[in-house]
Amino acid sequence: LDTSSEIQVFSDWTLSTITLSLNDVTLKLRRPKRETCPWTIVHSDLPDVSELGSFDKNIPNLAAARNKLKSQVQILERAWWNLKEIDENCYVLDPLVPKPCHLFRQIYLTSSLSMFIRINALYPMDVPEIKFLGSDIEVELKKDVVSRNLHNWDPGCDFIDNMSMLLNIDTFPKKEEVKKETSMEEHRGAISDEECCICFSLESDDETLPDKICNNNKCRRHFHTSCLLQWLQTIAGNHVVFDHIYGSCPNCRENISCYIK
């Protein structure tokens, strides 16, 4: 393996496992038992981007692994830079510990609204995939704002500035500010529980956070979409209209709806 490039190479003392590292992105391979067998990838920090062609589980040699690692890191650098801007300027709810393989972020906007974004790896300065999560009312209001501002998106501007323009806000809420406000609300007796009101957990079985919030200002309980959907489907008389099921909030009994996946 030619190590003259900036890629670092590490190995255990038996040379049975090789780790390639470039800009904190690692690729770990297991040594084949026979020389004619390909190397097996046991860990990769790279995201699964179909357009780039994901690493095969088995690759012919270390040189091929090195070249593919270097190529994909170079392509993904701009996307990672945009995500770094988000991490530095926003309160990121998910992932809790961002890694290079994560090309998405769920960002806190208000106590009843968050935004999920996924950056296009090949066109990182274009408008990302956006989905709002929270109470129906706030979701619809924010979707209208984005629709009105979408034509002003400028690929030549900083990503975070474009996001601020799109949402029509000056700055994003910071984690420290949110925690301080939450602490004051709790002191006054306000409910600020972010766990799902049905399963009483923060993360669901598929590791998603609660993404549905009751519209009732006096309730504002959080739910995993999967939990709320199952709850509403078990109650006779709830109606399904345009891929949504309508029923009552499990906590306050106000009207609530859920998208049927």
Side-chain angles (χ1 to χ4, degrees):
L1 177 66
D2 178 15
T3 58
S4 60
S5 68
E6 62 270 32
I7 293 181
Q8 296 178 298
V9 182
F10 306 94
S11 174
D12 60 6
W13 69 275
T14 64
L15 299 179
S16 60
T17 302
I18 300 291
T19 299
L20 306 179
S21 179
L22 177 61
N23 299 343
D24 297 323
V25 180
T26 63
L27 186 68
K28 185 178 291 186
L29 307 99
R30 182 166 293 142
R31 187 179 181 84
K33 294 181 179 180
R34 295 178 297 172
E35 292 296 329
T36 56
C37 294
W39 286 78
T40 301
I41 294 178
V42 294
H43 170 78
S44 173
D45 282 338
L46 292 166
D48 186 10
V49 181
S50 58
E51 295 89 346
L52 296 180
S54 61
F55 269 89
D56 297 326
K57 291 184 179 180
N58 299 305
I59 56 177
N61 51 58
L62 293 180
R66 178 204 61 188
N67 293 337
K68 201 163 187 179
L69 172 63
K70 187 173 182 179
S71 172
Q72 292 202 10
V73 167
Q74 289 174 341
I75 292 172
L76 291 163
E77 279 180 337
R78 181 71 249 190
W80 285 330
W81 180 265
N82 291 345
L83 291 165
K84 182 181 178 182
E85 275 196 287
I86 293 173
D87 295 337
E88 292 176 347
N89 291 278
C90 305
Y91 177 8
V92 176
L93 300 172
D94 189 33
L96 297 177
V97 182
K99 299 178 181 178
C101 61
H102 299 136
L103 293 182
F104 70 91
R105 294 293 188 269
Q106 183 179 346
I107 302 169
Y108 177 99
L109 295 179
T110 73
S111 61
S112 54
L113 184 69
S114 64
M115 176 178 63
F116 173 91
I117 70 169
R118 186 183 300 277
I119 292 181
N120 188 317
L122 300 186
Y123 304 99
M125 298 309 295
D126 287 355
V127 180
E129 173 190 344
I130 296 176
K131 180 181 179 182
F132 293 104
L133 310 169
S135 72
D136 295 339
I137 294 174
E138 289 207 43
V139 165
E140 291 304 317
L141 288 174
K142 192 58 71 174
K143 285 169 65 175
D144 288 342
V145 170
V146 168
S147 295
R148 292 196 300 269
N149 294 333
L150 195 58
H151 69 281
N152 291 321
W153 184 278
D154 183 359
C157 292
D158 286 344
F159 190 84
I160 200 71
D161 291 338
N162 271 322
M163 292 301 301
S164 298
M165 174 279 301
L166 205 61
L167 298 171
N168 198 25
I169 59 176
D170 294 326
T171 58
F172 286 87
K174 297 291 185 64
K175 183 175 183 178
E176 298 75 15
E177 299 169 352
V178 173
K179 292 298 183 182
K180 183 178 180 180
E181 292 174 0
T182 301
S183 178
M184 294 176 64
E185 289 177 356
E186 288 176 343
H187 183 71
R188 292 195 296 265
I191 297 174
S192 60
D193 187 5
E194 295 181 355
E195 294 181 347
C196 176
C197 186
I198 295 175
C199 71
F200 304 108
S201 299
L202 183 62
E203 288 192 356
S204 61
D205 292 339
D206 58 359
E207 299 182 348
T208 59
L209 299 176
D211 53 3
K212 189 71 177 178
I213 302 175
C214 178
N215 292 320
N216 185 353
N217 288 325
K218 295 182 179 179
C219 177
R220 291 299 193 194
R221 290 301 180 98
H222 295 63
F223 306 96
H224 296 116
T225 295
S226 56
C227 293
L228 183 59
L229 176 60
Q230 185 176 5
W231 170 278
L232 294 175
Q233 288 177 328
T234 59
I235 300 175
N238 285 343
H239 301 288
V240 177
V241 181
F242 296 125
D243 298 327
H244 280 71
I245 185 169
Y246 294 80
S248 300
C249 171
N251 182 62
C252 69
R253 302 303 173 186
E254 289 290 324
N255 294 332
I256 196 169
S257 65
C258 182
Y259 178 69
I260 300 176
K261 297 181 179 179

